Amino acid sequence: MALVKINKDITKGIFEKVAEEAEKRKEVTILGIESSCDETAAAVVVNGRKVLSNVIYSQVPVHTLYGGVVPEIASRAHVEKINQVIRKALEDSGKTMDDIDAVAVTYGPGLVGPLLVGVNAAKALAYAEKKPLVAVNHIEGHISANYIDKEELVPPFMCLVASGGHSHIVRVDDYGKYTIIGRTHDDAAGEAFDKVARAIGLGYPGGPKVDALAKEGDPHAIDFPRAKVGESSYDFSFSGLKSAVLNYLNGCEMKGIEVNKADVAASFQQAVIDVLTEHTVKAAKEYDCSRLALAGGVAANSGLREAMKQAAEKEGISFYMPELIYCTDNAAMIASAGYYEYLAGNRADISLNAIPNLKVGERRW
Ligand code: KG4
Ligand code: ZN
């Protein structure tokens, strides 16, 4: 089957086309499906902003036993749950497949086995129900989580996306149009949280556990490095910080000093927050963005949310962040991103495949 890609009117910006299309069709209901890592999720969202249902089956308890996500186990768990999760999302929304305008699914980036489960479920459903299929980039989904319940947020805006696999500063130029301003040179921010959590014996998933423990510690107790990559760069590096934490822990062990884990958690977290906040606000200012948003699993971090809000306010920049449930992996964000892809005329078909290394702004279907 030939790929259908309708987006040929280059005389108009995507924003204008989206607005025109949205005007023509008052209500567009999208079923979103997400399975890129260890959450099996489905959601029904109207016009990209109003969530009718948001079902998430988390595999965390399964992977906790192994201290991290085991791809093969994740794939199998997705296969077991995906149909139930989709059915529940439709039930909770009070809609049936007849009411759904399109099926949107994450096709990358992520783990190939888990991605394939969602992609195949979406293809089967779209084909059987004769509905358009929309392919969504997971990271763009995280960014779009900011649209949920916020009618006032429109592009352009600057967005920090920090998750377990990615850390980027992205300028959202328009719906579905992105420019990467900065990125990590090594570990993602969430990955650093997970590794440090493991080193201080907190287990998986690390981010929320470090966040909770940091509240009991002193963020200035240990002076961990704030790595800079280049002079005027917006890029990050977290592997040096992670090594500094490991060296500190080894040093304490060798000297027989008892480690104050809460101080380590708080000081490490503060170092991450300082770098992310400074670079993102600087990017917003220098690129003249009056709006700034936060996205990805690390956007659930209480310290980062507060620091970013304060830093943006100080500069007179409007600040947005998703509700906690829309920060970590979910399908409402996929349905939201899918809505704008749908309005732009982007359609995938039965040949859609999983693209584990898909980049922000890339279209590979
Ligand atoms: O976006 P996400 O759910 O999955 C990926 O796309 O990777 O992000 C998961 C990451 C994990 O590394 C997790 O430790 C981190 O987000 N995370 C947090 C918090 N909640 C989740 N990191 C810091 N503080 C949190 N509260
Ligand atoms: Zn994610």
Side-chain angles (χ1 to χ4, degrees), residues 195-216:
K195 287 177 178 168
V196 166
R198 199 172 306 139
I200 56 176
L202 297 181
Y204 171 86
K209 292 186 174 169
V210 171
D211 192 353
L213 187 59
K215 294 197 172 85
E216 295 164 26

Side-chain angles (χ1 to χ4, degrees), residues 39 138 142 163-165 190-191 193-194 205-208 211 296-298 300-301 327-329:
E39 262 90 29
H138 181 79
H142 273 302
S163 70
E191 200 178 346
F193 268 97
D194 293 336
D211 192 353
V298 181
N301 186 271
C327 287
T328 44
D329 289 350

Side-chain angles (χ1 to χ4, degrees), residues 11 29 128 137 145 224 246 266 341 365:
T11 56
T29 307
N137 179 309
F224 289 131
L246 297 179
E341 292 291 304
W365 29 259

Side-chain angles (χ1 to χ4, degrees), residues 284-315:
K285 273 166 61 186
E286 290 184 9
Y287 282 82
D288 229 359
C289 287
S290 60
R291 291 177 285 266
L292 190 157
L294 198 54
V298 181
N301 186 271
S302 57
L304 180 64
R305 292 168 84 83
E306 192 49 40
M308 200 70 101
K309 184 167 173 275
Q310 283 183 15
E313 274 171 7
K314 201 169 145 215
E315 299 295 337

Side-chain angles (χ1 to χ4, degrees), residues 52-342:
L52 300 186
S53 66
N54 184 35
V55 178
I56 304 170
Y57 167 74
S58 172
Q59 304 173 6
V60 162
V62 181
H63 300 290
T64 299
L65 299 172
Y66 304 92
V69 179
V70 182
E72 175 67 22
I73 294 175
S75 307
R76 286 169 186 268
H78 284 305
V79 169
E80 280 169 20
K81 292 290 175 193
I82 194 123
N83 288 341
Q84 282 166 257
V85 165
I86 294 171
R87 198 174 306 129
K88 178 91 168 64
L90 284 167
E91 266 171 32
D92 288 1
S93 71
K95 303 281 181 191
T96 67
M97 277 309 290
D98 289 345
D99 307 309
I100 299 295
D101 292 292
V103 180
V105 65
T106 306
Y107 74 116
L111 300 168
V112 67
L115 281 169
L116 281 170
V117 178
V119 165
N120 278 314
K123 286 203 291 192
L125 196 55
Y127 186 69
E129 298 284 343
K130 300 187 174 51
K131 301 287 177 182
L133 179 66
V134 177
V136 174
N137 179 309
H138 181 79
I139 304 298
E140 297 176 20
H142 273 302
I143 295 170
S144 303
N146 280 289
Y147 296 131
I148 294 171
D149 294 333
K150 292 191 211 84
E151 292 300 329
E152 70 281 14
L153 179 62
V154 293
F157 59 92
M158 194 61 76
C159 186
L160 169 70
V161 203
S163 70
H166 300 84
S167 295
H168 290 114
I169 296 174
V170 178
R171 193 181 62 195
V172 182
D173 303 315
D174 204 339
Y175 293 110
K177 213 162 167 268
Y178 306 90
T179 305
I180 294 180
I181 307 295
R183 56 161 56 97
T184 179
H185 280 221
D186 36 60
D187 292 353
E191 200 178 346
F193 268 97
D194 293 336
K195 287 177 178 168
V196 166
R198 199 172 306 139
I200 56 176
L202 297 181
Y204 171 86
K209 292 186 174 169
V210 171
D211 192 353
L213 187 59
K215 294 197 172 85
E216 295 164 26
D218 175 3
H220 308 293
I222 310 154
D223 189 18
F224 289 131
R226 273 76 173 149
K228 288 240 186 303
V229 185
E231 267 310 294
S232 65
S233 167
Y234 302 105
D235 290 358
F236 319 111
S237 164
F238 293 112
S239 77
L241 171 60
K242 174 197 69 193
S243 302
V245 174
L246 297 179
N247 289 342
Y248 174 82
L249 295 173
N250 285 338
C252 288
E253 198 185 338
M254 282 166 66
K255 290 178 208 151
I257 300 169
E258 198 187 332
V259 172
N260 182 329
K261 291 184 180 182
D263 282 351
V264 175
S267 301
F268 157 76
Q269 182 172 294
Q270 194 57 50
V272 177
I273 291 172
D274 286 353
V275 171
L276 292 178
T277 306
E278 187 194 321
H279 288 209
T280 310
V281 173
K282 184 172 142 206
K285 273 166 61 186
E286 290 184 9
Y287 282 82
D288 229 359
C289 287
S290 60
R291 291 177 285 266
L292 190 157
L294 198 54
V298 181
N301 186 271
S302 57
L304 180 64
R305 292 168 84 83
E306 192 49 40
M308 200 70 101
K309 184 167 173 275
Q310 283 183 15
E313 274 171 7
K314 201 169 145 215
E315 299 295 337
I317 298 169
S318 306
F319 179 64
Y320 300 86
M321 57 188 165
E323 261 181 56
L324 290 183
I325 191 71
Y326 302 125
C327 287
T328 44
D329 289 350
N330 66 87
M333 67 185 198
I334 302 305
S336 178
Y339 168 71
Y340 293 103
E341 292 291 304
Y342 177 83

